[in-house]
Amino acid sequence: MKLSQFRFDLPLNLIAQTPTKKREDARMMVVHRHTGQIENKYFRDIQDYFDDKDVFVVNNTKVFPARMYGRKEKTGAKIEVFLLRELNRPNRLWDVIVDPARKIRVGNKLYFGDQEDLVAEVIDNTTSRGRTIRFLWEGSEEEFRAQLEKLGETPLPKYIKRKPDEEDKERYQTVYAKHEGAVAAPTAGLHFSRELIKRLEIKGIRFAEITLHTGLGTFRPIEVEDLSKHKMDAEYYRIDETACKIVNKAKEYGHRICSIGTTTMRGMESSFTAQKLLKPSEGWTNMFIHPPYEFNIADSLVTNFHLPKTSLLIMTCAFAGYELAMEAYKKAIKDKYRFFSYGDALLVI
């Protein structure tokens, strides 16, 4: 398939700027893959579509405050530094994106905080905007983390045209977030409140947790028309024995497996056996799922409404079927569903 097939006109006012008041009050479109039926519901209705012993697989990654603002030595020019990932903890080396990049060269020092609480030195160029930086910090690891927490802000995507506030610290994070390492929230999971999880568990639905640290590559525009030539950025994932036992037992007895989010789906599709069972593993995945693709673990998917020509939309089309998914998106625009990270949900069953 070609990239141009995933183009559609999205009115900008449909890109959600704030979350719904209560997590589970987001709207939810339900798409039935086998009949083509499309329903309009609310996320809290998800419990009506699943039964005792079905499994929801979630991504328990935790977003860290990755966006920082510093000043360049001598000139004092304001520089945005986006922390992508820690490369070496003892040496405090980080892979980052800087903006504006043309001003930042190897050897430059960057100062963060009013009192210059934190200093970093640029030690390498990785891409046109990418740099490797070393934080010059003498204190303990705990104190260093506290500084990052204090000086960094919630990395809301650029499509959200406002400054992050206190509420975003909580709302741009799932209620089950555990392992820090993501620079973007696994957004399908944002619709779950603790109360809804409790109600689902009372109904007998099991939860299995995996970890995939979402990187910025998830949102990187695809620039090749031939999808087979697109290279995804590698993202770290981990699937443990416990999650595999829960998922595989359910599969063995014919229960449903629902992937909460495209990141969860990529994690699972990166680690299965010949018998189509989930297997424990840990590492880096750069898997790009596009039609046609046969899914091995999950038989249903919760995701948000994504932007045109993104890898997330393309994976949704691979799962739901291209025609049906695009029809659902057309309806979502007509019915004014909210798109993107703080937007509404799509359940494909």
Side-chain angles (χ1 to χ4, degrees):
M1 295 196 80
K2 301 279 182 266
L3 180 66
S4 48
Q5 291 174 262
F6 298 92
R7 217 198 123 266
F8 61 89
D9 292 322
L10 175 64
L12 291 180
N13 65 336
L14 294 185
I15 297 177
Q17 298 296 310
T18 53
T20 48
K21 216 166 186 55
K22 285 176 69 182
R23 289 176 185 264
E24 71 240 52
D25 286 350
R27 293 167 73 195
M28 177 175 74
M29 181 182 282
V30 184
V31 172
H32 298 260
R33 287 195 287 172
H34 303 300
T35 63
Q37 184 196 359
I38 298 177
E39 303 175 274
N40 290 330
K41 297 284 184 177
Y42 287 93
F43 194 76
R44 57 180 178 266
D45 302 323
I46 194 166
Q47 58 197 29
D48 301 339
Y49 293 88
F50 294 91
D51 297 311
D52 182 29
K53 297 190 178 63
D54 286 344
V55 172
F56 282 8
V57 188
V58 299
N59 180 4
N60 64 14
T61 186
K62 189 174 187 182
V63 180
F64 64 92
R67 187 173 279 126
M68 300 174 72
Y69 294 96
R71 288 182 313 285
K72 191 179 163 189
E73 64 176 335
K74 298 193 181 97
T75 66
K78 192 177 176 187
I79 305 293
E80 179 184 307
V81 176
F82 196 100
L83 305 178
L84 287 178
R85 58 173 166 253
E86 188 173 38
L87 298 173
N88 181 307
R89 184 163 285 190
N91 292 323
R92 313 217 188 282
L93 290 184
W94 284 75
D95 193 6
V96 303
I97 286 175
V98 292
D99 194 27
R102 66 183 186 284
K103 295 183 176 176
I104 303 300
R105 298 191 171 87
V106 172
N108 287 161
K109 284 201 171 67
L110 303 172
Y111 294 91
F112 300 93
D114 297 336
Q115 310 301 311
E116 300 184 351
D117 310 310
L118 202 51
V119 184
E121 183 180 8
V122 181
I123 61 169
D124 196 11
N125 288 340
T126 49
T127 61
S128 60
R129 292 172 59 215
R131 302 288 184 271
T132 302
I133 66 171
R134 177 194 288 121
F135 285 103
L136 309 173
W137 181 260
E138 297 298 317
S140 68
E141 178 63 23
E142 287 68 34
E143 290 166 327
F144 175 64
R145 292 280 155 182
Q147 283 293 351
L148 290 186
E149 193 68 40
K150 186 180 105 182
L151 297 167
E153 70 176 32
T154 304
L156 292 183
K158 293 280 192 191
Y159 297 100
I160 294 177
K161 303 287 183 198
R162 62 179 177 80
K163 291 289 279 178
D165 55 27
E166 273 306 300
E167 189 192 19
D168 292 307
K169 279 187 181 171
E170 186 219 339
R171 292 301 300 272
Y172 195 64
Q173 200 80 272
T174 62
V175 296
Y176 45 73
K178 276 198 189 112
H179 302 297
E180 198 169 80
V183 298
T187 54
L190 297 179
H191 304 297
F192 286 95
S193 63
R194 288 187 175 82
E195 297 72 29
L196 179 59
I197 289 173
K198 194 48 81 215
R199 292 201 298 275
L200 290 161
E201 287 175 338
I202 287 167
K203 191 169 180 178
I205 290 158
R206 304 281 316 269
F207 281 78
E209 297 183 12
I210 72 163
T211 305
L212 184 140
H213 291 324
T214 326
L216 268 192
T218 299
F219 303 113
R220 180 159 298 154
I222 298 173
E223 285 161 350
V224 287
E225 178 64 0
D226 177 353
L227 294 183
S228 65
K229 294 193 164 49
H230 177 61
K231 296 275 184 288
M232 289 286 277
D233 290 18
E235 294 170 322
Y236 169 84
Y237 77 96
R238 182 166 181 269
I239 299 174
D240 65 17
E241 194 71 59
T242 309
C244 295
K245 279 185 179 147
I246 295 169
V247 168
N248 294 340
K249 188 177 176 190
K251 277 181 80 82
E252 197 183 323
Y253 288 98
H255 300 296
R256 317 255 303 281
I257 309 294
C258 182
S259 173
I260 306 301
T262 54
T263 56
T264 306
M265 188 72 92
R266 283 182 65 226
M268 291 194 288
E269 290 298 317
S270 299
S271 186
F272 60 87
T273 67
Q275 292 75 42
K276 295 197 170 190
L277 295 172
L278 194 59
K279 72 172 184 202
S281 70
E282 177 176 12
W284 295 81
T285 179
N286 60 356
M287 186 173 209
F288 174 39
I289 296 174
H290 55 86
Y293 182 85
E294 190 183 327
F295 289 82
N296 297 281
I297 305 291
D299 48 43
S300 46
L301 168 70
V302 173
T303 186
N304 276 26
F305 286 97
H306 305 295
L307 302 183
K309 302 203 293 192
T310 53
S311 63
L312 310 165
L313 167 65
I314 291 168
M315 186 200 290
T316 304
C317 288
F319 191 78
Y322 173 77
E323 276 84 12
L324 183 56
M326 293 310 269
E327 185 193 330
Y329 266 65
K330 213 159 139 185
K331 180 172 165 54
I333 291 167
K334 186 170 143 290
D335 294 350
K336 296 199 165 24
Y337 272 77
R338 288 151 43 92
F339 276 64
F340 206 47
S341 302
Y342 274 151
D344 295 317
L346 171 68
L347 168 63
V348 185
I349 51 177

